[in-house]
Amino acid sequence: MINKNTLPTNFLGCESSFEDSDIVIFGAPYDGTTTFRPGTRFAPAAMRTDSLGLETYSPYFDADISDYKIHDYGDLDLPFGSPTKALKMISETSKLIFEKGKKPLMIGGEHLVSLPSIEQAVKLYPELRIIHFDAHTDLREEYIGEPLSHSTVIRRAWDILGDNRIYQFGIRSGTREEFYWAKDGHTNLCLHNFDTLAAAVSQIGAAPVYLTIDLDVLDPSIFSGTGTPEAGGVTFLQLINALQAVSSLNIIGADVVELSPHYDHSGASTAVACKVLREVILTMQNL
Amino acid sequence: MINKNTLPTNFLGCESSFEDSDIVIFGAPYDGTTTFRPGTRFAPAAMRTDSLGLETYSPYFDADISDYKIHDYGDLDLPFGSPTKALKMISETSKLIFEKGKKPLMIGGEHLVSLPSIEQAVKLYPELRIIHFDAHTDLREEYIGEPLSHSTVIRRAWDILGDNRIYQFGIRSGTREEFYWAKDGHTNLCLHNFDTLAAAVSQIGAAPVYLTIDLDVLDPSIFSGTGTPEAGGVTFLQLINALQAVSSLNIIGADVVELSPHYDHSGASTAVACKVLREVILTMQNL
Amino acid sequence: MINKNTLPTNFLGCESSFEDSDIVIFGAPYDGTTTFRPGTRFAPAAMRTDSLGLETYSPYFDADISDYKIHDYGDLDLPFGSPTKALKMISETSKLIFEKGKKPLMIGGEHLVSLPSIEQAVKLYPELRIIHFDAHTDLREEYIGEPLSHSTVIRRAWDILGDNRIYQFGIRSGTREEFYWAKDGHTNLCLHNFDTLAAAVSQIGAAPVYLTIDLDVLDPSIFSGTGTPEAGGVTFLQLINALQAVSSLNIIGADVVELSPHYDHSGASTAVACKVLREVILTMQNL
Amino acid sequence: MINKNTLPTNFLGCESSFEDSDIVIFGAPYDGTTTFRPGTRFAPAAMRTDSLGLETYSPYFDADISDYKIHDYGDLDLPFGSPTKALKMISETSKLIFEKGKKPLMIGGEHLVSLPSIEQAVKLYPELRIIHFDAHTDLREEYIGEPLSHSTVIRRAWDILGDNRIYQFGIRSGTREEFYWAKDGHTNLCLHNFDTLAAAVSQIGAAPVYLTIDLDVLDPSIFSGTGTPEAGGVTFLQLINALQAVSSLNIIGADVVELSPHYDHSGASTAVACKVLREVILTMQNL
Amino acid sequence: MINKNTLPTNFLGCESSFEDSDIVIFGAPYDGTTTFRPGTRFAPAAMRTDSLGLETYSPYFDADISDYKIHDYGDLDLPFGSPTKALKMISETSKLIFEKGKKPLMIGGEHLVSLPSIEQAVKLYPELRIIHFDAHTDLREEYIGEPLSHSTVIRRAWDILGDNRIYQFGIRSGTREEFYWAKDGHTNLCLHNFDTLAAAVSQIGAAPVYLTIDLDVLDPSIFSGTGTPEAGGVTFLQLINALQAVSSLNIIGADVVELSPHYDHSGASTAVACKVLREVILTMQNL
Amino acid sequence: MINKNTLPTNFLGCESSFEDSDIVIFGAPYDGTTTFRPGTRFAPAAMRTDSLGLETYSPYFDADISDYKIHDYGDLDLPFGSPTKALKMISETSKLIFEKGKKPLMIGGEHLVSLPSIEQAVKLYPELRIIHFDAHTDLREEYIGEPLSHSTVIRRAWDILGDNRIYQFGIRSGTREEFYWAKDGHTNLCLHNFDTLAAAVSQIGAAPVYLTIDLDVLDPSIFSGTGTPEAGGVTFLQLINALQAVSSLNIIGADVVELSPHYDHSGASTAVACKVLREVILTMQNL
């Protein structure tokens, strides 16, 4: 018989069945509220295709994701031009996964896709904390008159969770109002690095955590394939160290958002996104 | 005094005041229902900037647009994530221009932006005909459940105008249902060229005409900077000849849509779009 | 239940089973003898992914490929660094398809991949003719000392078939020796267009035909995503007309080769390749 | 009334009038002596357009440029093919700004554009010091026989200022002669970082300073969009820290040069240049 | 001994000595007056490197350039920032070649480089005619105050030659004044094709001819790698036919200008330029 | 006489004769076993061309390569499709250089090209050590059934040298088996940096060393132009420091591999590769 080498239909060999799996990956290819450069809709497909070039073994965690039960559910078929419908479909998917006792790991899309997943997480885990890696505050009350936007997503999460439940790292862009509002005790904001992460981990303790990673937390030098690159970000190794630091926490769901593959001419940003996703999977194993 | 060379704030020196002008150019940078490659939102700004490289004189019409009264209104500030609001703003702008006895000349954005302009045109000109240059039929009844989409825009126009009022040229992509529905007498569809254009012009006579040009009617060889390039299109000179053919008609409004500048690495597609817009301005002068 | 939108695992919805199908598509992602710009290895995967943007209906044939039984076998897992092994695997695959009474439709890879398929075709169809669309003669006796190369593939086919069995069209590049050897009656070579195609079709009559299309027969204006673009080629419509001309023949197998997606920055070449493949499928139906 | 969203005609909302302003930004889009990859002529326009994606608030200085009086004068209309004329026009512009008691902030263009601005600065401020951030020494006596070149600009400044008045940082490329000439006490040269910057600031004290930033002082990882990228440069945060270090000085004029937008395919370099310009504005405020 | 495959130091194997040769190729990598997108300075080197991918045999002329005596002199080392010096060096080179009874074949650079070569040609051949293939009139009296510019080059040639000596083809861009000035009998201008070329050839008869080809005469679909692409140009085959038409003339010198390789991402424009140069060499043989 | 500026036929002015030279540079443009993105075949030519933009003086070593005797032999003319023949030709070249008492400095090509050079080195220097900078372990026993591959090259070197002779640095990607096999005492593997380099240098002492640098040891932020970019790599300055650390060793041969210029859209990766090669030349001088 002749060997066949078909297109990958899942991320990096994650082919456990939905029922068997502990983590369920799914794509939320939505970028409908993106105001500047769109295209994060192409991220989940690009990451599955390019994961072929990545090893399953991580020297950082000394662990291999082929040892764990992970299902790749595929991408949601989200309608453009209707954010409400799109968010509803993401919400239902996260609910389904949470209710089966599994952990969702969503691939964005723009950052707004995190909101329905966080909403579902809070229903099951009222004590939820959010750990948020990002270049941007995302704390606007509204954006061009719209309360639902990639620029307001963490503010909307705060509407649900309230003060002292959100920890932000790597932040280096936003309005003065957003930074001052955060400083007023609404969120725990760490400027452009992870200096206060160890303290946060210790403060959070055993509480359930949702981890949301806007990949533009990385410096544009290593991650230029995104809509609004912000210089002054963290290096890949700083991000890996941060993931190792949070790996002791009780992470009940996560997402990785804002890769925009059509602005990644060399393919390096997509390769980085794949590697981060592999490390997030291992971070969720409490190794 | 030192010469200054500021950024162009209008297309190709169109700096008449709104009041004085006969034609009003405006940008509708909306691509919210685009399903494949987005980015037509960047077209109006890119075309103004690159119009610097274009002459005002057309050897095709032996005419110079600097001899005419044209105002560039700028771009509408359209909200992403809400097609209804965006279409309403375009509608109001077209209405304003039509009611002042002027001709709107809109720069898209995706093709859906034509709909509100056509709706306003019909109110003033009940006998309106549409001349439609495109690679795609755009005659779907709905698209992924949505009646408002770049793929349904001409069908929506038919909802208003009915049979025998829409003339389509250059069409070479669509579902079998769309092509058969058109052939059933709903529209006048000319497959992949302009062979029946002279007949159409004679049939239309003195009736008012709205001209809508999806730039992907051009072959991808000369216009690859668009979301869904379709081989087998018309050449630039065929398009110029078609414009000369319709220049005897009573064109009361027009648009040029679907340039996606971020897929135009060489800049050639944006240059073509600028040149088409210049020729459309002259086409509207009944030279 | 939530709609899922997974990665395409076949070309343009060709999902009949192997057993049911009349045509079997397979990918031969090999570019090991390419001397100039490599990368045709990426073509089959890119074409499956981008076929999402293509309609199943062809206005040229007024036919829809969803009405036919076509199986997409996937890609062969060909070893780089060993042309002999790679050709053997392609040979076995073609044999399997031919022996089941089906027609292979291979996606290259470089042009050398046609050779094993032609070899298998001759075994079953000793009266085989080859119709060859290409910019290049591919008639070298050897290339840098190697008899097996993308530059020698049609000469190797001639070794098997002999004089008056090979018809070449669109040819516009080669050494003087190659052109003169062809003119000496070894092949039927038509310089840079399809002028003699009607005569060839009539001459071939009912004989079995293998159709091999090097996509660089197209002009680089519409198909720049290839290793050695040669100006002066045919337009897309000329190619469609040529396919319509040969559609009356008894085509028992075919291939479409030499797309190199990494040199196709706008995506237009990959879109063209998909459209050609759709039309080749319909060409093989004797519509 | 419908919101309009016109092209930005100034950098990041700097719309104070010339008369009211303390800082006057102007573009010097000249690259006529560039020997390797040209294109810095496109930088001022690209930076104004892309400044739309940047916040006015700087978390590094905890300050917002919308609180300051800054005028954007636009670009000079410089003739290509005549460096003498171009430099004269820049000279007159700088003179005009200096004489009104304002601070010029020029956007290059190639580095040679700094020379006329420095010449004017010395006339008003005979005690002038220059702080120079760059990858290259720019200390050649002449370049291919020409005394006026991007490679000689700091040497020409030394012709005016003499020894111990020029402080160079981040330097990592030049001829042996240039490095040795600097070491001979002619300039204060700090190899590839800012290690001696604190000492320089203290030495300079209250003297007037012209700050000239060749953006290629940044590592090509974060700034590849320039004519001659030189590995081993400073990070964005190191540059920010350097700006904070010099912000106590009496900076009377500045420039930011050598962005070449057409080599910045991802847009990340242009975004960095905008951010540096924002921070330079704040650096000039003695916050 | 081991085969070596060094970098090509000449165009397509043109390695006759200067003394033996009939045609002398040289590069004039100057783009100092280019107002829009620079970079033609890179053309000669790019064409030599990429000529590796081209055959020496032309099926159009049924001739092989390896049968002729051609020397590649290399590139002139032209100073940027000083058009006068650059033009002087080109002038001396052309003079040297003409005086030895050979034919210069210059590779630009921008179109201004033709001027010194034409000036030298007229000295030896007072009855000189110019055949000019271009998208642009190049007939401006001056450009931004400068009499020497890529936009004035043919007007400067007219200053020397006077009326009825210049034949322009493919022209489709210019000011109204330029077109009307040409029509006033100053030049023989053929709008956007070669329709009057046969008549021109017959009129010119045995007079000496300098052939200057601005490659942007080609349509941007096949030649987008140039500073100011103008849609509506000729196809490659039309250009080949035009060359065949002029091959009976007494061509005493020629040039091929305005390739800008850095805007040629696919490499197709550079490949076309090489092929045109090969055909020009054969055109100069009176085959 | 007119200055000529011909194409560089050697790297950075290395024009000593073979006989006079101490170091012989040669190119091995082979990428026949590359499984992911090919194109390292273009590296030697690209590096020679772009070395024009680099100074001959290194501020890191305070030395100038124009002071040393270096010959550039050119590129080997390696057959694609036959790794055995290609490796044999490299082997003979290295042998020739070693036997004349000179040091080979090879430019790859893929990493497999190091093997024949190492084999020849061991014949002359039985006590050989290998210092290996890379992102990848390259320790597979075989790859897709092939023992000769870019992924197995260091394992093949171990087959010859045995335990404790190979020192690997910067490694951050491989299978679990490869990492564990290394840890079992077969090689000295330093994870993702140079932390143990000083110890290695001291351990190696006076033994002869072959230095093989896969440029993907650099972080993709500074070196994205390679087939499989791996985030988490070393910075350019860390690599320079590592070279300074090994410059006291007795380096008898070296190579620099895996630049893939066609994925280097900005040119920055090629510039880095040139700079590394310059520093390796100085590293081999025991300064």
Side-chain angles (χ1 to χ4, degrees), chain F residues 52-65:
Chain F
L52 271 180
L54 188 65
E55 304 284 351
T56 54
Y57 173 73
S58 161
Y60 305 108
F61 278 97
D62 186 13
D64 198 307
I65 69 161

Side-chain angles (χ1 to χ4, degrees), chain E residues 71-227:
Chain E
H71 175 68
D72 188 338
Y73 188 83
D75 286 355
L76 305 188
D77 197 0
L78 304 172
F80 289 99
S82 178
T84 324
K85 274 195 208 169
L87 296 187
K88 188 152 176 293
M89 287 173 69
I90 297 167
S91 188
E92 286 171 17
T93 310
S94 294
K95 191 181 174 197
L96 177 74
I97 297 166
F98 277 128
E99 288 181 353
K100 299 278 183 187
K102 301 170 193 304
K103 299 175 175 185
L105 175 49
M106 180 169 47
I107 307 174
E110 57 161 85
H111 209 161
L112 182 56
V113 300
S114 302
L115 186 57
S117 212
I118 290 170
E119 287 170 343
Q120 290 299 332
V122 174
K123 289 186 186 168
L124 246 79
Y125 305 98
E127 289 307 305
L128 190 74
R129 265 68 173 170
I130 290 176
I131 292 186
H132 172 220
F133 296 170
D134 201 333
H136 305 90
T137 47
D138 289 358
L139 294 172
R140 277 173 163 87
E141 182 54 41
E142 60 166 46
Y143 191 65
I144 322 185
E146 294 289 333
L148 290 180
S149 156
H150 61 101
S151 294
T152 65
V153 62
I154 300 301
R155 183 66 172 262
R156 288 297 83 75
W158 177 89
D159 290 346
I160 306 169
L161 292 168
D163 288 351
N164 291 319
R165 301 278 283 276
I166 298 173
Y167 298 81
Q168 303 186 281
F169 299 90
I171 311 299
R172 56 197 185 273
S173 178
T175 65
R176 180 152 52 184
E177 291 64 36
E178 289 177 277
F179 278 98
Y180 281 44
W181 184 87
K183 262 191 242 173
D184 270 5
H186 297 303
T187 77
N188 241 303
L189 186 153
C190 180
L191 204 67
H192 67 74
N193 59 32
F194 296 110
D195 281 358
T196 61
L197 182 57
V201 166
S202 136
Q203 209 177 328
I204 291 170
V209 171
Y210 187 90
L211 173 64
T212 179
I213 301 180
D214 185 326
L215 287 160
D216 67 19
V217 71
L218 288 162
D219 195 65
S221 55
I222 189 62
F223 192 75
S224 59
T226 191

Side-chain angles (χ1 to χ4, degrees), chain E residues 45-62:
Chain E
M47 286 174 65
R48 287 197 190 87
T49 302
D50 285 18
S51 72
L52 269 181
L54 188 64
E55 304 284 350
T56 54
Y57 173 72
S58 162
Y60 305 109
F61 279 98
D62 186 14

Side-chain angles (χ1 to χ4, degrees), chain D residues 202-262:
Chain D
S202 134
Q203 207 176 330
I204 291 170
V209 171
Y210 187 90
L211 173 63
T212 180
I213 301 179
D214 184 326
L215 287 160
D216 67 19
V217 71
L218 287 162
D219 195 65
S221 57
I222 189 62
F223 192 75
S224 60
T226 192
T228 44
E230 293 284 347
V234 303
T235 67
F236 177 76
L237 280 178
Q238 286 176 307
L239 179 55
I240 292 297
N241 291 341
L243 289 175
Q244 290 172 327
V246 302
S247 68
S248 62
L249 293 172
N250 175 23
I251 299 173
I252 55 83
D255 58 54
V256 172
V257 302
E258 295 285 359
L259 168 68
S260 191
H262 290 201

